[in-house]
Amino acid sequence: MILLFLFTCLNIRINLCFPNILSLKTLELDGHFDFDQVHHAARDFGNIFQLLPLAVLHPKSVSDIAITVKYIWEMGTSSELTVAARGHGHSLQGQAQAHRGVVISMESLKYPEMRIYPGKSPYVDVSGGELWINILHETLKHGLAPKSWTDYLHLTVGGTLSNAGVSGQAFQHGPQISNVHQLEVVTGKGDVVNCSKEENEDLFHSVLGGLGQFGIITRARISLESAPAIVKWIRVLYSDFAMFTRDQEWLISAENTFDYIEGFVIINRTGLLNNWRSSFNPQDPAQAGQFKSDGRTLFCLELAKYFNPDETEMANQEVEILLGQLNYISSTLFQSEVTYVEFLDRVHISEVKLRSKGLWEVPHPWLNLLIPKSKIHTFAKQVFGNILTQTSNGPVLIYPVNKSKWDNRTSVVIPEEEEVFYLVAFLSSAIPSSTGNDGLDHILTQNKRILEFCETAHLGVKQYLPHYTTQEEWRAHFGTRWEVFAQRKSVYDPLAILSPGQRIFKKANSIIHLSSS
């Protein structure tokens, strides 16, 4: 009886998958499908969920993607196949995975080739699978660069634009989705559509920050500006959270200010300066060397001023004036001058070090929150004072941005009522098999406590890079914008073929099995 049951289950699985494999093999493509080497597509940077796809598509052209999606669309609900676009694999919760579906390896898409258009309003046309670090290197050859970045540049264009793309420049230029002129998108019906603010406007705004729900970004036209050569990189410490936030908020509103403004939290760390100042020269070596954290919670303000060699004197004067109006602990001023590329690609240096120690490909149970300005002190008092007893195994970022730099027509969800809100990011790395404070279970429990506090205290917090498991939770996340989001889904991906790993919509007649490692 048991053998019969096992044989029946095996037979059902073969019948479910085998016709799909055969049918996909009939498609005439420039690229190719891989049905054997698919395990890498069931992993991501989060390293928590593992959903095995049926096939991985390595496209050579946009038509490869369109043909595949259209074919699955035309199969209708008789097929359980879904499609996920995978960039450099830096999703956190399996968002770019497709259980028993097709994962599209966007980095295989080499067309269109990157083209840079200098002039009065410069821009660059790039493939959705292009890495931002490559865009930086190529645009710099023309003395240009994108305006807005993420802290880590080894991410694909399509990946960050499907979320928002936020870093310390966002207060001034907005997120990356605020600096896009045009997109080419493959919808859930397999249609290839060009869209912008002037053409197919609804699709354009739907896709930006749309979590991959409305289309696969195959090309993007990104705004550029003149690139600086040098960065004055500064860090200072605060022990008073009110002063820390007051200075941050003043800096993002000042007319002449820094070009990059971020902050991070350091909780219960001794020997502090040996860690965070390693790439800096203290302004006052004698005083800085004597500074002790004494186990206090400290707040680091990180700043950058961009300039060219002929502007050095003026840049130094501007920095001195700005620093003179801040209230940091005077003995903790650290400054360094680096190239623009070194500054923007700074996280990659940490990646190399962590990889060498085997600490990169570990679970990353990150939690990213957008918090209204009026609630940030309530949040900090409880979270940094009670829930977090020590800094987690990874940085805790905190910095304000201006809502006016975000376009509310896009799909991204931000706190609605206030002009300024904070990004707070808990970028934890878990040590495999650990049962201590650096273990996955402990960090997940800690994240849950933070979210429960935000809800019970009615802080109006929204998740960035959101992760939910039920549609009810997604409805709450989108709030009044849910109806628009769902209506857009019914227009551009009515069968819910795209991005099943987000767990927002479920394809009819398909069964999604979630497995966590």
Side-chain angles (χ1 to χ4, degrees):
M1 192 68 175
I2 295 174
L3 286 174
L4 178 62
F5 175 75
L6 291 174
F7 177 78
T8 302
C9 290
L10 180 62
N11 200 33
I12 290 172
R13 179 174 175 81
I14 290 171
N15 288 334
L16 280 170
C17 298
F18 195 59
N20 289 330
I21 291 175
L22 287 178
S23 62
L24 290 174
K25 284 183 175 180
T26 65
L27 299 181
E28 294 186 11
L29 306 173
D30 298 317
H32 69 280
F33 281 105
D34 195 331
F35 299 97
D36 299 315
Q37 303 299 321
V38 298
H39 287 80
H40 71 282
R43 295 180 62 114
D44 56 26
F45 182 68
N47 211 6
I48 297 171
F49 289 91
Q50 294 187 20
L51 307 176
L52 197 66
L54 178 70
V56 174
L57 172 63
H58 297 274
K60 283 189 177 180
S61 64
V62 174
S63 66
D64 284 352
I65 298 172
I67 289 169
T68 300
V69 175
K70 184 177 285 292
Y71 184 74
I72 295 172
W73 155 255
E74 290 174 346
M75 293 173 74
T77 56
S78 64
S79 166
E80 68 168 9
L81 286 176
T82 54
V83 177
R86 185 181 194 270
H88 207 47
H90 275 80
S91 296
L92 298 171
Q93 304 279 354
Q95 289 94 334
Q97 299 174 25
H99 180 63
R100 292 212 307 241
V102 176
V103 170
I104 301 176
S105 177
M106 294 302 293
E107 286 187 283
S108 299
L109 183 65
K110 300 304 181 185
Y111 177 84
E113 293 181 357
M114 195 185 310
R115 296 188 65 185
I116 298 160
Y117 298 84
K120 191 173 181 181
S121 300
Y123 62 87
V124 58
D125 279 341
V126 295
S127 162
E130 191 62 81
L131 296 180
W132 286 99
I133 184 64
N134 296 337
I135 297 172
L136 174 62
H137 288 307
E138 287 302 311
T139 55
L140 281 177
K141 294 175 183 178
H142 299 261
L144 300 167
K147 301 173 183 177
S148 190
W149 298 97
T150 52
D151 285 328
Y152 180 66
L153 304 189
H154 297 251
L155 305 170
T156 58
V157 168
T160 65
L161 297 185
S162 294
N163 289 282
V166 188
S167 184
Q169 304 88 0
F171 78 94
Q172 194 168 40
H173 297 293
Q176 290 180 315
I177 58 173
S178 293
N179 297 277
V180 180
H181 294 313
Q182 189 182 90
L183 297 171
E184 178 186 73
V185 174
V186 177
T187 71
K189 300 178 182 179
D191 298 325
V192 182
V193 184
N194 286 312
C195 54
S196 65
K197 291 180 181 178
E198 294 76 34
E199 179 186 14
N200 299 307
E201 177 188 2
D202 185 64
L203 178 61
F204 179 72
H205 290 121
S206 298
V207 170
L208 293 173
L211 305 176
Q213 293 302 302
F214 312 109
I216 298 169
I217 297 172
T218 52
R219 181 182 60 80
R221 179 167 292 178
I222 299 159
S223 179
L224 302 176
E225 65 177 357
S226 295
I230 306 170
V231 174
K232 185 173 282 292
W233 188 5
I234 299 162
R235 284 178 180 168
V236 292
L237 288 179
Y238 293 73
S239 57
D240 186 300
F241 185 73
M243 284 188 177
F244 171 69
T245 54
R246 192 182 308 134
D247 280 359
Q248 280 191 320
E249 290 164 17
W250 175 74
L251 284 170
I252 70 164
S253 66
E255 190 170 328
N256 184 25
T257 187
F258 290 97
D259 298 290
Y260 161 99
I261 299 168
E262 284 196 10
F264 56 90
V265 186
I266 306 160
I267 301 172
N268 195 24
R269 281 280 177 93
T270 55
L272 169 69
L273 298 181
N274 292 329
N275 297 321
W276 73 278
R277 76 178 185 186
S278 56
S279 59
F280 289 79
N281 295 315
Q283 181 85 344
D284 186 337
Q287 282 185 296
Q290 294 168 10
F291 179 78
K292 297 288 187 292
S293 64
D294 297 326
R296 289 177 293 172
T297 295
L298 297 169
F299 308 95
C300 175
L301 180 58
E302 185 171 43
L303 309 163
K305 189 72 173 177
Y306 305 158
F307 61 99
N308 290 311
D310 59 343
E311 303 165 327
T312 300
E313 187 175 347
M314 183 183 297
N316 286 335
Q317 289 175 357
E318 290 175 353
V319 166
E320 189 174 346
I321 291 170
L322 286 167
L323 289 176
Q325 299 178 72
L326 302 181
N327 299 287
Y328 58 89
I329 300 169
S330 59
S331 63
T332 65
L333 173 59
F334 286 75
Q335 299 189 67
S336 180
E337 281 191 13
V338 295
T339 67
Y340 189 52
V341 172
E342 286 173 329
F343 175 71
L344 290 180
D345 201 27
R346 62 198 178 279
V347 177
H348 184 58
I349 305 301
S350 298
E351 175 189 353
V352 172
K353 291 178 181 177
L354 289 170
R355 281 190 183 278
S356 69
K357 298 176 182 178
L359 296 176
W360 183 255
E361 294 181 356
V362 297
H364 295 95
W366 288 6
L367 177 64
N368 296 271
L369 303 175
L370 304 176
I371 302 172
K373 169 187 165 183
S374 65
K375 306 295 185 181
I376 194 65
H377 293 274
T378 302
F379 177 88
K381 184 177 180 180
Q382 176 65 12
V383 175
F384 303 143
N386 295 318
I387 296 178
L388 294 184
T389 55
Q390 62 180 20
T391 302
S392 59
N393 195 23
V396 178
L397 304 183
I398 176 169
Y399 57 92
V401 294
N402 294 310
K403 182 185 174 186
S404 62
K405 303 296 183 179
W406 297 62
D407 191 330
N408 62 9
R409 293 171 295 181
T410 66
S411 293
V412 71
V413 176
I414 60 177
E416 293 181 356
E417 296 180 1
E418 299 181 19
E419 174 54 31
V420 172
F421 59 91
Y422 277 78
L423 171 74
V424 181
F426 301 89
L427 308 182
S428 305
S429 297
I431 304 301
S433 73
S434 172
T435 57
N437 291 342
D438 54 3
L440 179 60
D441 288 343
H442 176 84
I443 298 170
L444 290 174
T445 300
Q446 192 170 264
N447 289 349
K448 185 180 179 183
R449 287 184 63 196
I450 293 170
L451 290 171
E452 287 175 347
F453 166 71
C454 291
E455 186 173 351
T456 56
H458 305 290
L459 300 187
V461 169
K462 294 296 182 182
Q463 281 194 42
Y464 175 60
L465 308 178
H467 167 65
Y468 301 101
T469 55
T470 69
Q471 196 172 88
E472 288 72 27
E473 291 172 316
W474 280 109
R475 282 176 178 267
H477 171 74
F478 283 100
T480 58
R481 304 184 66 185
W482 169 255
E483 294 303 325
V484 171
F485 192 83
Q487 191 273 335
R488 285 171 163 177
K489 183 70 170 180
S490 70
V491 171
Y492 302 117
D493 183 26
L495 291 185
I497 290 170
L498 302 177
S499 293
Q502 293 283 2
R503 304 172 188 85
I504 306 175
F505 302 97
K506 191 174 180 180
K507 187 178 181 183
N509 296 337
S510 68
I511 302 172
I512 305 299
H513 299 284
L514 303 184
S515 65
S516 60
S517 59

